[in-house]
Amino acid sequence: MSLVTAVCRVDRLLPDSGTIGVTAIDKRPVDGSVRVRPLGLYADVQADRKHHGGEDQAVYAYADEDAAYFADLLDREIPPGLFGENLRTSGIDVTGAVTGERWQIGATLLLEVTIPRIPCGTFARRMRIDKWVKRFAEEGRPGAYFRVLKSGPVAAGDPIVVTHRPEHGVTIGEIFAGLTPERARAVLESGESLAPKVVRDVSKVLARAGAGAGAS
């Protein structure tokens, strides 16, 4: 059975040496249910709103199974929230989720998979591991962002049901690794009602391919 195993939101803003000066990556589990709205969990924030948050990146989910993989790799615990995730899940392949896939969580909340998490300098400073951005990327377990199609509460223990999976089949893992023009075209021509950021990001793949063809 697929479940939410922890719900996390910012505990406190931490000083950060990046351009913003603070970071909201310090997410920690909370008790009880939390309302999820189009911009994310109630009382959660993003310090760098240019690169984080927004309707197409309202919720970030990471799998217990992938956290356990990194725990073994790094020989340390990866508790819920350490990677900055809002939802920790179990029994569902987050990296294998298809962009546009919809998750019903509990009785009301409906989320749609959008894009993978791209590791950044803030994440590296959080982990304090040499060359962390490269190491995280190489393992191909990025976790997924979601947009909120229907607001509602979420709590640890809530079941997750996939209610729709697009036929194009392009997964978060594929996007993270880098789409071929053919796979990018499959997404755009699928007829799915895609999140604007998905359309922009996938369109860039085709634009680069077109520019490369013109140059040759």
Side-chain angles (χ1 to χ4, degrees), residues 11-30:
D11 183 68
R12 59 194 176 99
L13 295 177
L14 300 177
D16 182 64
S17 60
T19 57
I20 304 300
V22 295
T23 173
I25 198 172
D26 185 19
K27 314 292 188 189
R28 301 192 188 189
V30 296

Side-chain angles (χ1 to χ4, degrees), residues 36-193:
V36 183
R37 298 181 287 192
L39 290 177
L41 277 67
Y42 175 75
D44 196 33
V45 298
Q46 299 83 36
D48 181 1
R49 295 185 179 179
K50 180 178 179 180
H51 299 102
H52 302 284
E55 291 189 355
D56 292 346
Q57 300 176 108
V59 177
Y60 175 46
Y62 205 77
D64 277 335
E65 294 82 358
D66 290 334
Y69 173 87
F70 274 110
D72 288 342
L73 182 70
L74 302 174
D75 192 27
R76 60 176 286 186
E77 291 187 12
I78 307 294
L82 181 65
F83 284 2
E85 72 271 25
N86 299 116
L87 304 181
R88 183 67 73 85
T89 68
S90 178
I92 191 165
D93 185 358
V94 179
T95 299
V98 172
T99 187
E101 181 174 305
R102 295 174 185 171
W103 290 12
Q104 177 82 44
I105 301 180
T108 308
L109 183 62
L110 184 63
L111 303 180
E112 182 181 284
V113 177
T114 58
I115 61 172
R117 185 259 192 83
I118 305 301
C120 62
T122 301
F123 190 23
R125 291 187 290 273
R126 162 81 157 172
M127 296 300 294
R128 299 180 181 179
I129 295 174
D130 188 42
K131 298 181 180 178
W132 174 248
V133 167
K134 180 180 179 182
R135 292 187 66 181
F136 183 82
E138 286 175 345
E139 298 304 328
R141 298 166 183 262
Y145 282 113
F146 295 77
R147 65 172 173 170
V148 180
L149 297 184
K150 187 174 182 181
S151 298
V154 63
D158 281 350
I160 302 170
V161 177
V162 176
T163 62
H164 173 69
R165 181 172 284 131
E167 292 185 1
H168 62 70
V170 174
T171 68
I172 287 297
E174 285 184 83
I175 296 171
F176 188 67
L179 292 180
T180 63
E182 292 74 21
R183 294 299 276 160
R185 193 171 293 110
V187 174
L188 294 178
E189 296 178 354
S190 65
E192 295 284 332
S193 179

